[in-house]
């Protein structure tokens, strides 16, 4: 089983939507994670992403992303708690380490927790994008701006799962040997294999004439109901996040004493992000097709 999210075509509204709309939908939750430090709002964005992942059939992909994001989030909390001694509420008094007294404050833990929540929101946003937005459709969308750059980016993202499968097969083969090689040798073998694959891909592209490629003729695919629904939800989330930030919603100040805004505005914005993740998939049925740009 792959340890990172991989795109698979499914019959869901997010998979059926065009690439630009899918990117906007995932980016709307990312915008909330970037703009706000309030734990209520961040928790709402994370819950909305979990709901969207369930609706798009990508819950397993979000769990795979969590295997990498959760340890980093925990590390942020621990480091922030040990490094920053600001705060009025001391919850643990430690000894002296290298001439520095270790005191853990509630405010430092809260600040680290908010940073951890932000990391989880960002990781879940990218995991949902990777699992539900067709990279080939993204290539068709971006090639209007820079065809070669779009091709390079698309190939890089598509080859990551391939290289991971190569490494997994090498590890399984190494276990059959009486004296399995060290992990460093497996890593070097995977790196060498990636260079061989890069050479093969470059040769294949040259033979197919990608250097002289031109945009294919034809009109754009008309908007579907899934495009309209997801685009409207993304625009609503971004508009609410920007407007809330402009009027001071979602305040959070950990030092010197913890102050977290938790009024109706914050609860409403959190509820909006949760609903934004669930509503586009409520009662919707999508036909599996080719997502356009």
């Amino acid at each position: 089983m792959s340890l990172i999210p991989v795109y698979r075509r499914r019959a869901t509204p997010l998979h059926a939507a065009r690439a630009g709309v899918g990117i906007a939908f995932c980016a709307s939750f990312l915008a909330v994670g970037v703009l706000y430090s309030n734990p209520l709002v961040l928790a709402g964005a994370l819950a909305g992403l979990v709901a969207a992942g369930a609706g798009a059939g990508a819950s397993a992909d979000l769990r795979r992303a969590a295997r990498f994001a959760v340890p980093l989030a925990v590390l942020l909390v621990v480091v922030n708690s040990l490094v920053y001694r600001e705060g009025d509420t001391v919850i643990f008094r430690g000894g002296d380490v290298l001439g520095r007294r270790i005191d853990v404050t509630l405010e430092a833990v809260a600040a680290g927790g908010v940073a951890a929540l932000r990391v989880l929101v960002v990781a879940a946003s990218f995991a949902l994008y990777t699992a539900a937005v067709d990279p080939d459709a993204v290539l068709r969308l971006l090639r209007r701006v820079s065809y070669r750059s779009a091709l390079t980016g698309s190939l890089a993202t598509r080859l990551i799962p391939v290289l991971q499968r190569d490494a997994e097969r090498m590890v399984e083969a190494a276990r059959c040997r009486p004296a399995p090689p060290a992990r460093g040798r497996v890593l070097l073998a995977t790196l060498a294999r990636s260079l061989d694959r890069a050479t093969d891909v470059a040769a294949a592209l040259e033979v197919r004439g990608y250097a002289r490629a031109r945009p294919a003729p034809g009109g754009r695919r008309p908007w579907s109901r899934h495009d309209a629904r997801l685009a409207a939800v993304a625009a609503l989330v971004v508009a609410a996040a920007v407007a809330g930030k402009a009027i001071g919603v979602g305040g959070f100040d950990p030092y010197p004493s913890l102050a977290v805004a938790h009024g109706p505005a914050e609860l409403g914005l959190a509820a909006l992000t949760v609903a934004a993740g669930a509503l586009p998939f409520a009662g919707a049925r999508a036909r599996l097709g080719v997502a356009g740009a």
Side-chain angles (χ1 to χ4, degrees):
M1 180 183 293
S2 176
L3 297 179
I4 58 177
V6 179
Y7 174 78
R8 295 182 179 85
R9 297 176 64 189
R10 295 184 175 94
T12 73
L14 184 55
H15 288 78
R18 62 185 62 227
V21 173
I23 293 172
F25 180 76
C26 299
S28 64
F29 295 94
L30 180 63
V32 176
V34 171
L35 289 175
Y36 288 89
S37 298
N38 187 283
L40 291 176
V41 179
L42 291 175
L46 184 60
L49 284 165
V50 172
S59 296
D61 298 280
L62 265 64
R63 287 194 295 270
R64 295 188 190 103
R67 295 181 184 178
F68 296 93
V70 170
L72 177 59
V74 173
L75 180 63
L76 283 174
V77 176
V78 173
V79 170
N80 196 80
S81 302
L82 297 177
V83 171
Y84 288 93
R85 292 184 296 174
E86 292 81 358
D88 295 337
T89 309
V90 178
I91 59 177
F92 176 77
R93 293 191 180 276
D96 293 332
V97 178
L98 299 177
R100 179 184 175 88
R101 185 171 180 81
I102 303 299
D103 290 336
V104 178
T105 64
L106 175 63
E107 290 77 11
V109 174
V114 166
L117 270 177
R118 179 172 286 169
V119 167
L120 294 178
V121 170
V122 172
S125 300
F126 279 103
L128 181 62
Y129 160 77
T130 304
V133 180
D134 188 355
D136 293 331
V138 175
L139 171 60
R140 290 193 294 270
L141 174 65
L142 296 181
R143 71 179 179 181
R144 301 169 187 168
V145 179
S146 177
Y147 179 82
R148 294 188 178 183
S149 298
L151 178 61
T152 301
S154 179
L155 288 174
T157 56
R158 294 297 291 272
L159 284 176
I160 290 175
V162 175
L163 296 179
Q164 180 182 347
R165 289 193 292 270
D166 286 346
E168 291 174 351
R169 285 194 292 266
M170 290 180 185
V171 170
E172 292 176 356
R175 291 173 180 171
C176 299
R177 301 179 59 179
R183 292 185 178 182
R185 290 186 176 274
V186 176
L187 180 61
L188 290 177
T190 304
L191 178 61
R193 181 58 178 162
S194 69
L195 297 177
D196 292 339
R197 283 190 179 275
T199 303
D200 294 341
V201 170
L205 293 176
E206 183 177 2
V207 169
R208 289 172 172 80
Y210 271 81
R212 298 178 178 274
R214 295 292 183 270
R220 297 183 180 180
R221 181 170 65 98
W223 278 51
S224 67
R225 68 183 189 278
H226 304 302
D227 294 327
R229 180 183 298 184
L230 289 167
V233 169
L236 178 61
V237 171
V238 173
V242 173
K245 192 67 176 180
I247 62 177
V249 174
F252 174 74
D253 189 7
Y255 305 111
S257 59
L258 188 60
V260 182
H262 54 282
E266 288 76 20
L267 294 175
L269 183 57
L272 174 64
T273 54
V274 175
L279 289 179
F281 305 93
R285 294 182 179 178
R287 290 184 302 174
L288 189 61
V290 178

